[in-house]
């Protein structure tokens, strides 16, 4: 260090300024090296989440839902409405989640908490809308029945997504290296959940076919 | 397969072992085509295994048969999704997911049909 200082002292003023600047900049670079590396390492996302099937196959999914045909037009419409409203809630809140700028710097723990919150919001929202659409009696029967209702049947799928996200990220977080990667996996699960909801409808339909016929017969303003 | 995953029902333990082996194959040095073959085999064999389990549920009058069958459907739907979207097939992700799923399924869900209180 002493040699460097002596060497600098022998230099003309302009060179002294240059040398001191180099040393100062060098030290600053060393002090803030982690932040600098982070800035330059930042890559553009490789996955375009808005191109996920959950969004791009909107028409296809809606078509599949509208193809559901049961033993009466009212029953078909009832379950079609249920699935359409559910799909719209999933799509809307999945977009809100992927557009959340705070995700970039979020910890794994907070990310998981955010996903759970997102899923709860989806369930709350479609239940709220269906309550309005179906009316109290039909809603309580089709959605909230404690043994046969859609919510209790579909609960298995919701639990599956929660634990899949939780355990897969926790157990082998090296596999999912970027936030886009994690989000892409979550959107896969949302898409799978939507497909499973279509088969859950069959279970619900078979659970109380007769009761539904009676309820829908008396329900003039259901749709 | 570790002892903790054994249920004490020979045919089912053998099938679980086979599923574990198939999932392990995902970690071998395979190309995309090889991966698709394994996924297809995993789906085919899982369907066969679930059928065995569901027949067993009937024989023992397992109280939670309907709920358990639903979990099988979720698994098959997931495998189907990744098979149909082969461009997304990433063996590391799939391995992490399937390993976790099968272990938890055996330890929590399958254990239920070995307990007397769940049999009518």
């Amino acid at each position: 260090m002493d040699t460097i200082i002596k060497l600098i002292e022998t230099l003309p003023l302009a060179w002294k300024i240059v040398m001191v600047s180099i040393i100062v900049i060098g030290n600053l670079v060393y002090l803030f090296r982690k932040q600098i590396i982070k800035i330059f390492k930042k890559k553009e996302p490789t996955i375009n989440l808005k191109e996920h099937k959950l969004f791009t196959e909107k028409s296809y999914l809606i078509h599949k839902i509208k193809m559901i045909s049961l033993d009466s037009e009212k029953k078909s419409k009832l379950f079609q409405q249920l699935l359409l409203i559910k799909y719209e809630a999933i799509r809307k809140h999945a977009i809100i989640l992927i557009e959340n700028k705070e995700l970039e710097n979020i910890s794994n723990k907070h990310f998981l908490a955010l996903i759970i919150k997102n899923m709860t919001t989806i369930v709350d929202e479609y239940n709220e809308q269906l309550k309005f659409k179906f009316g109290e009696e039909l809603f309580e029967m089709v959605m909230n029945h404690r043994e046969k209702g859609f919510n209790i049947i579909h609960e298995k799928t919701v639990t599956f997504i929660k634990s899949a996200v939780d355990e897969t990220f926790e157990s082998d977080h090296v596999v999912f290296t970027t936030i886009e990667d994690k989000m892409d996996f979550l959107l896969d699960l949302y898409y799978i959940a939507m497909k499973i909801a279509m088969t859950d409808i069959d279970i619900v339909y078979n659970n109380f076919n007769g009761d539904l016929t009676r309820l829908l017969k008396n329900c003039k303003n259901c749709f | 397969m570790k002892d903790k995953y054994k249920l004490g029902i020979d045919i089912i333990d053998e099938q679980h072992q086979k599923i574990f082996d198939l999932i392990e194959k995902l970690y071998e040095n395979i190309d995309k085509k090889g991966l698709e073959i394994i996924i297809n085999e995993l789906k085919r064999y899982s369907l066969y295994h679930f059928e065995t389990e569901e027949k067993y549920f009937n024989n023992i009058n397992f109280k939670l048969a309907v709920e358990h069958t639903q979990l099988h459907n979720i698994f098959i739907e997931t495998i189907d999704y990744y098979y149909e979207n082969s461009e997304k097939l990433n063996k590391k992700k799939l391995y992490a997911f399937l390993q976790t799923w099968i272990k938890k399924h055996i330890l929590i869900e399958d254990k239920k049909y070995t307990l007397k209180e769940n049999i009518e």
Side-chain angles (χ1 to χ4, degrees):
Chain A
M1 195 65 190
D2 285 348
T3 329
I4 296 170
I5 293 167
K6 277 176 190 167
L7 186 72
I8 291 172
E9 279 171 355
T10 60
L11 293 170
L13 183 65
W15 278 103
K16 274 183 189 164
I17 293 167
V18 171
M19 289 302 284
V20 171
S21 304
I22 290 171
I23 292 167
V24 170
I25 292 167
N27 279 315
L28 284 173
V29 168
Y30 179 76
L31 282 172
F32 297 103
R33 64 192 183 284
K34 281 185 183 169
Q35 286 84 344
I36 293 167
I37 289 168
K38 210 174 165 186
I39 292 165
F40 285 102
K41 261 190 133 179
K42 212 173 203 178
K43 290 177 198 160
E44 283 300 306
T46 48
I47 306 167
N48 184 354
L49 294 170
K50 286 189 178 167
E51 290 294 312
H52 192 278
K53 283 181 92 167
L54 184 68
F55 310 119
T56 58
E57 288 197 355
K58 182 184 173 186
S59 310
Y60 167 74
L61 284 167
I62 291 175
H63 171 74
K64 287 278 280 184
I65 292 169
K66 287 187 174 169
M67 289 290 283
I68 290 174
S69 177
L70 303 168
D71 67 352
S72 82
E73 199 187 321
K74 269 201 164 182
K75 277 182 206 166
S76 305
K77 208 161 182 184
L78 173 85
F79 289 113
Q80 285 171 8
Q81 286 290 348
L82 193 166
L83 290 170
L84 285 172
I85 288 173
K86 181 178 165 61
Y87 173 62
E88 279 307 322
I90 290 179
R91 212 171 62 87
K92 179 182 154 192
H93 289 283
I95 289 175
I96 291 173
L97 196 60
I98 63 174
E99 285 180 344
N100 187 345
K101 300 283 178 215
E102 287 171 14
L103 288 180
E104 284 294 325
N105 301 310
I106 207 166
S107 70
N108 209 32
K109 196 179 161 193
H110 281 106
F111 182 61
L112 287 172
L114 205 68
I115 291 173
I116 302 299
K117 192 173 165 236
N118 189 263
M119 289 176 67
T120 310
T121 314
I122 291 170
V123 174
D124 287 349
E125 186 166 305
Y126 71 68
N127 270 304
E128 195 62 39
Q129 289 189 24
L130 285 165
K131 194 180 248 178
F132 177 73
K133 193 95 185 165
F134 290 175
E136 195 78 29
E137 192 183 6
L138 193 59
F139 176 82
E140 286 304 319
M141 178 72 152
V142 175
M143 299 302 290
N144 266 357
H145 191 286
R146 62 190 167 90
E147 287 159 11
K148 308 171 183 174
F150 179 82
N151 281 339
I152 193 78
I153 299 297
H154 196 59
E155 178 63 26
K156 282 258 178 303
T157 311
V158 177
T159 310
F160 157 76
I161 301 178
K162 281 179 186 165
S163 59
V165 167
D166 192 13
E167 287 156 18
T168 314
F169 291 172
E170 284 295 314
S171 70
D172 204 346
H173 57 272
V174 184
V175 172
F176 295 92
T177 49
T178 63
I179 203 77
E180 285 84 12
D181 229 8
K182 289 181 180 178
M183 283 301 304
D184 190 51
F185 180 64
L186 178 71
L187 296 180
D188 287 348
L189 293 172
Y190 277 4
Y191 184 91
I192 292 164
M194 198 55 224
K195 295 280 283 268
I196 296 168
M198 291 186 204
T199 55
D200 285 345
I201 285 300
D202 274 339
I203 303 172
V204 179
Y205 169 73
N206 290 322
N207 273 349
F208 33 46
N209 195 6
D211 292 335
L212 274 182
T213 310
R214 178 187 56 79
L215 260 178
L216 287 169
K217 203 175 171 185
N218 299 329
C219 184
K220 303 283 180 222
N221 303 312
C222 285
F223 304 105
Chain B
M1 185 168 78
K2 286 180 185 166
D3 278 354
K4 68 174 179 178
Y5 299 113
K6 286 184 182 160
L7 300 174
I9 305 160
D10 288 347
I11 185 166
I12 289 173
D13 285 339
E14 281 162 25
Q15 291 180 358
H16 281 160
Q17 180 63 61
K18 169 90 175 163
I19 292 174
F20 270 108
D21 293 345
L22 280 168
I23 295 172
E24 278 307 313
K25 277 190 178 182
L26 290 171
Y27 235 70
E28 288 171 11
N29 191 18
I30 43 167
D31 59 10
K32 199 164 173 297
K33 187 75 199 157
L35 188 57
E36 281 178 22
I37 292 169
I38 294 171
I39 299 298
N40 201 23
E41 174 67 6
L42 193 58
K43 182 190 167 184
R44 196 194 60 77
Y45 195 79
S46 299
L47 280 169
Y48 167 69
H49 165 64
F50 293 156
E51 211 178 285
T52 309
E53 274 193 342
E54 285 157 26
K55 275 183 192 159
Y56 182 75
F57 297 163
N58 276 339
N59 291 340
I60 62 166
N61 284 327
F62 178 44
K63 285 180 195 169
L64 306 167
V66 177
E67 289 89 331
H68 198 108
T69 307
Q70 232 188 310
L71 294 172
H72 291 168
N73 292 341
I74 292 172
F75 182 79
I76 294 298
E77 200 64 62
T78 309
I79 296 275
D80 251 354
Y81 175 81
Y82 283 106
Y83 185 68
E84 283 168 14
N85 297 281
S86 57
E87 78 283 356
K88 297 194 83 161
L89 277 181
N90 174 320
K91 62 179 185 174
K92 280 186 184 174
K93 281 183 206 169
L94 210 54
Y95 178 83
F97 168 70
L98 293 175
Q99 267 274 357
T100 318
W101 191 91
I102 192 77
K103 284 179 181 170
K104 192 184 165 197
H105 184 75
I106 294 173
L107 288 176
I108 299 172
E109 301 300 333
D110 286 353
K111 281 273 186 218
K112 288 180 184 170
Y113 63 76
T114 64
L115 301 173
K116 279 184 184 163
E117 69 246 35
N118 291 328
I119 297 165
E120 281 174 323

